Amino acid sequence: MNICLFLAITIACSLATIAQAAEQRPNFIVILGEAQGWSSSSVQMDDAVPGSKSELAYTPNLEKLAAGGMRFADFYAASPRCTPTRAALFTGRSPAALHMTFVGEGKGGRESSFSETGSKLVPANASAELPESEVTIASLLKRAGYATAHFGKWHVGRTSPAKHGFDESDGATNNGGPDNVESPNPKEAFGMTERGMDFMARQVRAGKPFYLQISHYAGRGVLGARPETYAAVRQRAKNERDGRLAESAAVTEDMDATIGMLLAKLDELGIADRTYVIYTSDHGAQGRNANEPLSNGKGTVWEGGIRVPLIVRGPGIKAGTCAHTMATTVDLFPTIAGIARITEPLPKNLEGGSLAPVLGGTPNATVKRPREELVVHFPHYDKDEQGPASAVLLRNYKLIHVYETGALHLFDLANDLAEQHDLSKTRAQETTALDQRLTEYLKAVNAQMTAVNPSFDPAKAQPFQERRGGKGKRPDSPQ
């Protein structure tokens, strides 16, 4: 069956509860956190894992959002880096298929840590520009009569967001924000929120449904948060680890304050009952111990780098629920399109599946996608001493394929969330099957791969230099 027709039937059948709950076309607010890991907020993301929340950061507004909606315990960013995940969110396609597997800033995917003579592989030469030919969720909704806006970090190239369907934006910003400064926060965190609230108010007055995306910037040291916020976090710090995480926790708390502003504005405008608020993140927090109980963080395909929060509140969603359905960034495009009751055919190359069955009352429903497995393809040198790698997830199993050595790591996430017990030797059948699925997927989307480096000189090989966010916990010996 044609995938577009299949998705349309699935969405039509599963949206009954949600569609009936919204008499008018619903609004959407998508809030994208920067480096906000699975356990970065005070929301317990998994009702079965007490450690899936921060004991340092205090985020009452995210708690309010979660109490009024649904948390996804098993949600994955499309990449452990920001540019690829943002592109996936806009398009519903994976970074592997888009050939956007690394960060922008004009680097073209050639990492600063790659050495012509000291690295065994040449990393994939990833694109840093989202092609104008790609259908974005904004362009789709705009053609359906929605007003669209993107405020905050863009970071998918230098082409204006207007070329990708956004009526209003801050422009093609990167990490430095509109003013191109070292630390855009806290100014931009609150500035983009104010612009978003003004946008919402104008659309309500005009009687027009809207799609608003608020994309936050990373914190840059102590100056990345309000002084009073940082002081309060430092006062709560109980140990050395808390002290190291105080800066990022303060940025998280400022972001939470802006979410409170948005929620209050929805109440003031009288549209909270017909607005979906979606909160997620581009990748895990930076730091080898910043995502506990998960292993590692940003720039790696370990759980700490790619498992992130997803909270959705809106009409027809039962309050205070926790879903255990595996989902990913590319699922948000078809989910929003379905809830908005878009009649235009969805792109044929869409990779995500609608989360409507889950949001509509079946928290453990299976998401129907073109492929059953989830793949995170990261053929680059970055924060992990193992180098370029890909991960494939299917049900409770996760396989990591390391390209420098060809090593395969298999984990049973249902029993080993911290990825400490490598089962690749004892469960060879599952290991082989998952690796085959990974290979088939990468070929199917024509993914860009690493290549053998002809200039590699073992005598000049550079040992992995541990960075903040570099080494993480390593699995034990195969069992």
Side-chain angles (χ1 to χ4, degrees):
M1 182 184 295
N2 179 279
I3 186 59
C4 295
L5 177 60
F6 176 77
L7 287 172
I9 293 173
T10 300
I11 291 170
C13 293
S14 58
L15 275 174
T17 304
I18 293 176
Q20 290 171 4
E23 295 181 1
Q24 303 180 43
R25 285 194 295 175
N27 307 303
F28 299 92
I29 300 176
V30 175
I31 304 165
L32 185 65
E34 163 68 47
Q36 293 296 319
W38 193 57
S39 56
S40 291
S41 79
S42 57
V43 176
Q44 184 174 321
M45 286 309 304
D46 189 328
D47 54 1
V49 183
S52 60
K53 66 177 182 179
S54 173
E55 297 297 334
L56 179 62
Y58 176 50
T59 55
N61 295 298
L62 278 174
E63 289 184 29
K64 178 181 178 181
L65 187 67
M70 180 178 287
R71 294 160 289 145
F72 282 71
D74 305 303
F75 187 78
Y76 288 88
S79 171
R81 278 295 204 146
C82 60
T83 296
T85 297
R86 292 164 195 275
L89 173 58
F90 289 137
T91 64
R93 301 184 66 203
S94 72
L98 293 168
H99 294 174
M100 296 183 70
T101 48
F102 202 61
V103 294
E105 303 289 0
K107 295 176 183 176
R110 297 299 297 271
E111 302 86 330
S112 58
S113 58
F114 166 67
S115 167
E116 292 288 353
T117 57
S119 298
K120 293 182 180 179
L121 301 176
V122 177
N125 189 25
S127 171
E129 187 76 43
L130 181 64
E132 290 185 41
S133 59
E134 289 294 330
V135 176
T136 68
I137 187 61
S139 61
L140 191 72
L141 292 173
K142 182 176 181 177
R143 288 195 290 270
Y146 274 74
T148 58
H150 180 282
F151 298 116
K153 183 176 174 179
W154 179 245
H155 212 201
V156 290
R158 299 179 180 178
T159 300
S160 169
K163 298 288 188 180
H164 292 287
F166 288 100
D167 298 318
E168 300 180 27
S169 74
D170 292 334
T173 59
N174 284 319
N175 287 321
D179 300 326
N180 196 27
V181 295
E182 179 64 23
S183 182
N185 287 335
K187 174 186 174 182
E188 284 305 316
F190 291 91
M192 72 177 78
T193 303
E194 293 284 358
R195 293 189 289 277
M197 292 191 298
D198 176 69
F199 170 80
M200 289 193 296
R202 286 186 281 112
Q203 306 319 313
V204 171
R205 288 195 297 269
K208 195 170 187 179
F210 63 80
Y211 173 90
L212 168 64
Q213 185 166 326
I214 300 289
S215 295
H216 282 268
Y217 295 92
R220 300 290 182 189
V222 176
L223 296 179
R226 293 177 297 181
E228 61 270 27
T229 307
Y230 179 70
V233 174
R234 284 290 304 179
Q235 190 171 15
R236 292 199 302 272
K238 299 177 182 179
N239 49 48
E240 182 180 348
R241 176 181 180 273
D242 285 354
R244 292 195 303 270
L245 298 177
E247 294 173 9
S248 59
V251 172
T252 298
E253 292 196 9
D254 276 351
M255 180 191 69
D256 183 76
T258 69
I259 292 173
M261 293 165 60
L262 289 168
L263 297 181
K265 190 66 175 180
L266 289 175
D267 291 336
E268 176 190 323
L269 295 171
I271 58 172
D273 62 346
R274 63 175 190 270
T275 301
Y276 289 87
V277 181
I278 301 170
Y279 168 75
T280 188
S281 176
D282 57 354
H283 51 69
Q286 178 166 298
R288 61 180 176 180
N289 298 314
N291 299 283
E292 293 180 343
L294 307 181
S295 175
N296 222 308
K298 171 185 174 180
T300 80
V301 296
W302 300 87
E303 287 293 283
I306 57 177
R307 187 183 288 226
V308 296
L310 174 65
I311 304 172
V312 185
R313 189 190 81 174
I317 300 175
K318 185 178 179 180
T321 50
C322 182
H324 289 272
T325 295
M326 188 179 292
T328 181
T329 307
V330 296
D331 295 331
L332 297 179
F333 184 116
T335 301
I336 293 170
I339 293 174
R341 301 191 291 278
I342 298 299
T343 58
E344 176 184 335
L346 300 183
K348 294 181 180 180
N349 54 11
L350 198 68
E351 293 184 76
S354 174
L355 300 178
V358 186
L359 298 173
T362 310
N364 297 316
T366 300
V367 179
K368 303 297 184 181
R369 303 183 189 89
R371 300 184 73 96
E372 190 179 11
E373 69 277 358
L374 302 184
V375 172
V376 178
H377 183 49
F378 195 60
H380 304 282
Y381 288 96
D382 198 15
K383 307 290 186 181
D384 194 340
E385 72 269 29
Q386 292 191 122
S390 295
V392 55
L393 299 104
L394 181 64
R395 293 183 283 277
N396 58 304
Y397 284 114
K398 175 182 178 182
L399 177 104
I400 296 177
H401 184 130
V402 181
Y403 292 110
E404 265 204 5
T405 62
L408 303 176
H409 300 297
L410 181 72
F411 304 100
D412 179 356
L413 297 179
N415 299 299
D416 182 24
L417 194 59
E419 298 172 291
Q420 296 299 291
H421 306 287
D422 186 349
L423 305 175
S424 59
K425 297 295 187 290
T426 58
R427 299 188 185 176
Q429 185 175 350
E430 290 89 344
T431 300
T432 301
L434 276 178
D435 194 42
Q436 182 62 34
R437 279 180 179 261
L438 173 63
T439 300
E440 290 174 356
Y441 169 77
L442 295 176
K443 287 182 178 179
V445 298
N446 192 30
Q448 292 183 305
M449 305 296 293
T450 58
V452 174
N453 182 7
S455 301
F456 172 63
D457 183 350
K460 297 181 180 179
Q462 297 291 322
F464 178 80
Q465 298 297 316
E466 183 176 348
R467 309 174 183 85
R468 185 181 181 189
K471 288 185 178 180
K473 299 176 181 177
R474 294 273 65 84
D476 61 12
S477 300
Q479 298 183 3

